[in-house]
Amino acid sequence: MALRVGVVGGGQLARMMVPAAVELGIDIRVLAEGPGMSAAIAATAEGDYHDADTVLAFARDVDVVTFDHEHVPQDVLRALVGAGVAVRPGPAALAVAQDKILMRTRLSELGLPVPDWSAVHDADELRTFLDDHGGKAVVKTARGGYDGKGVRVVTDPSQVDDWFVALAETGGEQALLVEEFVPFTRELAQSVARRPSGDVVAWPLVETQQRDGVCAEVIAPAPDSAGRLADLAESIAVRIAEELDVTGVLAVELFQTSDERILINELAMRPHNTGHWSIDGATTSQFEQHLRAVLDLPLGTTGMDTRVAVMVNVLGGPADGDLAARYPAALEAFPEAKYHFYGKAPRPGRKIGHVTVTGDDVDDVVFRARSAAAHFDD
Amino acid sequence: MALRVGVVGGGQLARMMVPAAVELGIDIRVLAEGPGMSAAIAATAEGDYHDADTVLAFARDVDVVTFDHEHVPQDVLRALVGAGVAVRPGPAALAVAQDKILMRTRLSELGLPVPDWSAVHDADELRTFLDDHGGKAVVKTARGGYDGKGVRVVTDPSQVDDWFVALAETGGEQALLVEEFVPFTRELAQSVARRPSGDVVAWPLVETQQRDGVCAEVIAPAPDSAGRLADLAESIAVRIAEELDVTGVLAVELFQTSDERILINELAMRPHNTGHWSIDGATTSQFEQHLRAVLDLPLGTTGMDTRVAVMVNVLGGPADGDLAARYPAALEAFPEAKYHFYGKAPRPGRKIGHVTVTGDDVDDVVFRARSAAAHFDD
């Protein structure tokens, strides 16, 4: 009997687990939101992940349940655990990824480096924070944000009036997260994987370029990061994984400041866009590692066979929607590039794929990866 | 609309096309022989590939049909072509892979180096061949053999009496292939890929170790093969691909003799066991390349990022059938190895998976690949 992993959610992260599962001989089953999802090839059930009965029925035939995203409600997660299902990462860890205020609270308790922050319930509290932080701050909804959604840079509380109205409608118990605006010099990301029995491994620290709040480009390893910076990032991510009892992949998005500090921006308790380079650039990809970790199997080597790997997202795709028509020119021009598409229809700003190139010289590899990916845009 | 490839046959070669298809964003559909096949995750139909209507119905929704094996009958292949389906490789090329006597005839016509051979219809003809070749020869059934099946080393015609009886029962039109026994120093394999519009690319020449007629181990590139030997092997494989109009991957199994000649042993017009190392060892795997080739897309780079890659087959598996129980020790001992399993139940001698290790030193890599694979045997 093959090992069986159930993935809740049929997006591209579940999809990218499929090759790793097929290769390792693991039986992967996906609970998709509906037909035609990215991970449809592995979908064995369709249904609403907010419904405990749906998820319990799906979980009955697998050895462990893991996730394409962090949005499965706590009551569903706890029903799974109550039914004896192995859930990785577990509900307590996921709670921290699901609520940015809880996340900031826990990281602060652990003494880990985060931007100044506060939970604000109304415009007055936000104004006070702004006054204390140079008149500019980042406001985030505590729940449900991703890819820049639910994040605004503000200079006046009126810029999030709609969010305060929505909060008030929910009874006023919730709050918005406000953080100091960090004048970072660049953004970094550190991924690690941890298995239930305790082992943790780290991939190289990477540099990430965001565009409109969406990951656009990743360079592995981050240039000029060897030594103290890489050690610090790794120690932070390992500590978070251990203290929060994360199992599977944990991605920690970081700000590097001009005074060589690093501050924690976001956490993701799953394979993450900043780790896609590892499919083609690391001995063990984040997707294979996630499967190994949630199955509590020994973790794989995270080193690289080349000096540098660069991943560039394909955002949007061709306006005419005809992705297939773009393959010939791209593959002809860059036969060494690794092309990844998610089975999603092109749409402005949508992550529909990525391209990874490996090599020795960072400038050359960046150029080729960008050029190859550009064949799929207008 | 994604590009759609239909694969006839649900074995491990179809299975190993799945990760490449998922990554490239290609919609892969498999016509499986029945439920529970290796490539079940991509099976969209089940049925008998000997039945033209079954295969035609399957082919209706794809851009191109290709194969997990070479056993689809010519009448079925020609019915597909007649219906306007793109069939790659095409019927004329596959005919050469389906009949070893036709294969020897065509290669001889092309002046390519093959062992001395003859088509023999009875014991007398075989005895004459034996007398002319030192009393020892290799007899092969013209059709249906694989993995050492349908191949016998004989010193007397009586050793294939049963095959002659079977021939007589079919009307006497068919023959057995007999070949000189080649005292080879080692076996090599050269894979190439060719697209319909003509481009051909070659992977490095590899050395293969057979055990009981089954591929056991592959070293890429073949040690001490740089220069004349590699050039010769590549030119032979490219010439075969072009002259026989092969599309997709072509694997050419070769004998190297003590006088530095190479002779063609077998051909396979599909991804082949001797190319499995390319999944982890080459920039473009044979499975990705096969998909690109049959879709007439530009072919990928075939180089290696490491000096050596070694693949060792897992043959048989644990006697108790519990493959999953073997993962922890193997993955712990060799976290850098890439493990591949085919979703097949362990059974003595059966190819159920393979392990690939890459690195710089061939002896070290061979040792680690063998040791990692050995965890899955008794």
Side-chain angles (χ1 to χ4, degrees):
Chain A
M1 176 73 81
L3 299 166
R4 295 158 307 175
V5 174
V7 184
V8 178
Q12 66 252 31
L13 301 179
R15 179 189 179 96
M16 287 186 266
M17 292 179 202
V18 172
V22 168
E23 289 178 351
L24 271 177
I26 290 167
D27 183 359
I28 185 167
R29 301 173 188 201
V30 168
L31 172 59
E33 291 79 352
M37 295 289 295
S38 274
I41 194 171
T44 57
E46 290 175 9
D48 183 355
Y49 61 78
H50 298 89
D51 179 65
D53 290 339
T54 297
V55 182
L56 277 165
F58 168 72
R60 200 166 295 140
D61 297 325
V62 300
D63 296 314
V64 60
V65 166
T66 190
F67 308 94
D68 173 66
H69 56 71
E70 292 126 335
H71 307 316
V72 178
Q74 283 288 317
D75 62 333
V76 174
L77 297 172
R78 298 203 181 267
L80 288 170
V81 172
V85 176
V87 178
R88 294 173 186 155
L94 279 171
V96 179
Q98 289 173 335
D99 186 313
K100 291 185 200 295
I101 292 174
L102 179 57
M103 191 259 281
R104 285 290 180 237
T105 303
R106 293 285 289 125
L107 295 178
S108 297
E109 287 169 359
L110 294 170
L112 289 166
V114 295
D116 274 355
W117 66 276
S118 183
V120 293
H121 300 77
D122 56 37
D124 285 344
E125 290 182 2
L126 176 53
R127 189 178 312 279
T128 302
F129 188 92
L130 281 166
D131 290 345
D132 291 346
H133 292 86
K136 187 173 179 183
V138 181
V139 182
K140 301 179 179 179
T141 56
R143 295 174 162 274
Y146 68 97
D147 279 355
K149 294 177 183 63
V151 177
R152 292 183 195 160
V153 178
V154 306
T155 53
D156 189 275
S158 65
Q159 293 166 301
V160 289
D161 264 351
D162 53 330
W163 288 352
F164 282 126
V165 170
L167 279 189
E169 285 169 356
T170 63
E173 285 184 21
Q174 294 179 18
L176 296 178
L177 173 67
V178 58
E179 298 175 348
E180 65 171 317
F181 182 87
V182 176
F184 58 83
T185 53
R186 62 173 174 172
E187 293 188 77
L188 303 167
Q190 175 67 59
S191 284
V192 297
R194 180 171 174 272
R195 58 187 286 211
S197 51
D199 291 346
V200 189
V201 295
W203 283 272
L205 178 67
V206 301
E207 177 176 330
T208 76
Q209 310 272 353
Q210 310 287 117
R211 200 177 301 145
D212 301 329
V214 179
C215 176
E217 195 172 303
V218 173
I219 302 173
D224 306 317
S225 69
R228 196 197 68 90
L229 194 65
D231 292 346
L232 181 58
E234 180 174 328
S235 71
I236 288 171
V238 169
R239 178 115 191 275
I240 294 171
E242 290 176 340
E243 296 280 0
L244 300 185
D245 193 22
V246 180
T247 47
V249 169
L250 167 72
V252 183
E253 293 182 272
L254 301 158
F255 295 126
Q256 180 176 358
T257 64
S258 55
D259 54 351
E260 292 290 303
R261 285 184 308 147
I262 57 180
L263 299 173
I264 300 164
N265 181 16
E266 300 286 352
L267 304 182
M269 295 185 190
R270 50 170 170 76
H272 189 253
N273 200 163
T274 57
H276 289 356
W277 68 273
S278 63
I279 300 173
D280 304 300
T283 301
T284 307
S285 79
Q286 64 170 347
F287 297 99
E288 177 182 343
Q289 199 81 288
H290 189 73
L291 295 172
R292 290 165 77 140
V294 300
L295 284 165
D296 202 16
L297 290 170
L299 302 176
T301 307
T302 51
M304 301 171 67
D305 283 331
T306 57
R307 290 170 64 134
V308 61
V310 174
M311 185 229 59
V312 177
N313 274 343
V314 177
L315 296 170
D320 65 3
D322 192 355
L323 196 59
R326 304 301 181 98
Y327 280 69
L331 275 58
E332 181 79 38
F334 298 98
E336 76 283 20
K338 305 314 296 179
Y339 300 88
H340 300 258
F341 290 96
Y342 308 153
K344 293 163 73 173
R347 187 193 300 163
R350 194 180 201 196
K351 285 182 187 172
I352 63 165
H354 72 268
V355 177
T356 300
V357 174
T358 59
D360 286 332
D361 177 73
V362 65
D363 291 335
D364 169 61
V365 174
V366 166
F367 173 79
R368 287 187 286 134
R370 284 181 188 167
S371 303
H375 275 90
F376 297 93
D377 291 320
D378 283 306
Chain B
M1 174 74 80
L3 298 168
R4 296 158 304 176
V5 174
V7 185
V8 178
Q12 66 253 27
L13 300 179
R15 180 190 179 96
M16 286 186 265
M17 293 179 202
V18 172
V22 168
E23 290 177 351
L24 271 178
I26 290 168
D27 183 359
I28 186 169
R29 301 175 187 199
V30 169
L31 171 60
E33 291 79 352
M37 295 289 295
S38 274
I41 193 171
T44 57
E46 289 174 7
D48 183 356
Y49 60 77
H50 298 89
D51 180 65
D53 289 340
T54 298
V55 182
L56 277 165
F58 168 71
R60 200 167 294 138
D61 297 326
V62 299
D63 295 314
V64 60
V65 166
T66 190
F67 307 94
D68 174 65
H69 55 70
E70 292 126 334
H71 307 317
V72 178
Q74 283 288 318
D75 62 332
V76 175
L77 297 172
R78 300 206 178 263
L80 288 170
V81 172
V85 176
V87 178
R88 294 173 187 155
L94 278 171
V96 180
Q98 289 173 334
D99 186 315
K100 291 186 202 294
I101 292 174
L102 179 58
M103 190 259 282
R104 285 291 181 237
T105 303
R106 294 286 289 124
L107 296 178
S108 297
E109 286 169 0
L110 294 170
L112 289 165
V114 295
D116 274 354
W117 66 275
S118 183
V120 293
H121 301 77
D122 56 37
D124 285 344
E125 289 181 3
L126 176 52
R127 188 178 312 277
T128 301
F129 189 93
L130 281 166
D131 290 345
D132 292 345
H133 291 85
K136 189 173 180 184
V138 181
V139 182
K140 301 178 178 178
T141 56
R143 296 175 161 274
Y146 68 97
D147 278 357
K149 295 177 182 65
V151 177
R152 291 183 196 160
V153 177
V154 305
T155 52
D156 188 276
S158 65
Q159 291 166 301
V160 290
D161 263 351
D162 53 331
W163 288 352
F164 281 126
V165 169
L167 280 190
E169 285 169 358
T170 63
E173 285 183 22
Q174 293 179 21
L176 297 178
L177 173 67
V178 58
E179 299 174 347
E180 66 171 316
F181 184 87
V182 176
F184 59 82
T185 52
R186 64 174 173 171
E187 292 187 79
L188 303 167
Q190 176 66 58
S191 285
V192 297
R194 180 170 173 272
R195 57 185 289 213
S197 51
D199 291 347
V200 188
V201 295
W203 282 272
L205 178 66
V206 301
E207 177 176 329
T208 76
Q209 310 272 351
Q210 310 288 116
R211 200 177 302 143
D212 300 328
V214 180
C215 175
E217 196 171 302
V218 172
I219 303 173
D224 306 317
S225 69
R228 196 196 68 90
L229 195 65
D231 292 347
L232 180 59
E234 181 174 328
S235 70
I236 289 170
V238 169
R239 178 115 190 275
I240 294 170
E242 290 177 339
E243 296 278 1
L244 301 185
D245 193 21
V246 179
T247 47
V249 168
L250 166 73
V252 182
E253 293 182 271
L254 300 158
F255 295 127
Q256 180 176 358
T257 65
S258 54
D259 53 352
E260 290 291 302
R261 285 185 308 148
I262 57 180
L263 299 173
I264 300 164
N265 181 17
E266 300 286 351
L267 304 183
M269 296 183 190
R270 50 170 171 75
H272 189 253
N273 200 162
T274 57
H276 289 355
W277 67 272
S278 63
I279 300 172
D280 304 300
T283 301
T284 307
S285 79
Q286 64 170 347
F287 298 100
E288 177 183 343
Q289 199 80 289
H290 189 74
L291 295 172
R292 291 165 78 140
V294 300
L295 284 164
D296 203 15
L297 289 170
L299 303 176
T301 306
T302 51
M304 302 173 65
D305 282 333
T306 57
R307 289 171 62 134
V308 60
V310 174
M311 185 229 60
V312 177
N313 273 343
V314 177
L315 295 171
D320 66 3
D322 192 355
L323 196 58
R326 304 301 180 96
Y327 280 69
L331 274 58
E332 182 80 40
F334 297 96
E336 77 282 20
K338 305 315 295 179
Y339 300 88
H340 299 259
F341 290 97
Y342 308 153
K344 293 163 75 174
R347 187 193 300 164
R350 194 181 202 197
K351 286 182 187 173
I352 62 165
H354 72 267
V355 178
T356 300
V357 175
T358 59
D360 286 332
D361 177 75
V362 64
D363 292 336
D364 170 60
V365 174
V366 166
F367 173 79
R368 288 188 284 133
R370 284 182 188 167
S371 303
H375 275 90
F376 297 92
D377 292 320
D378 283 304

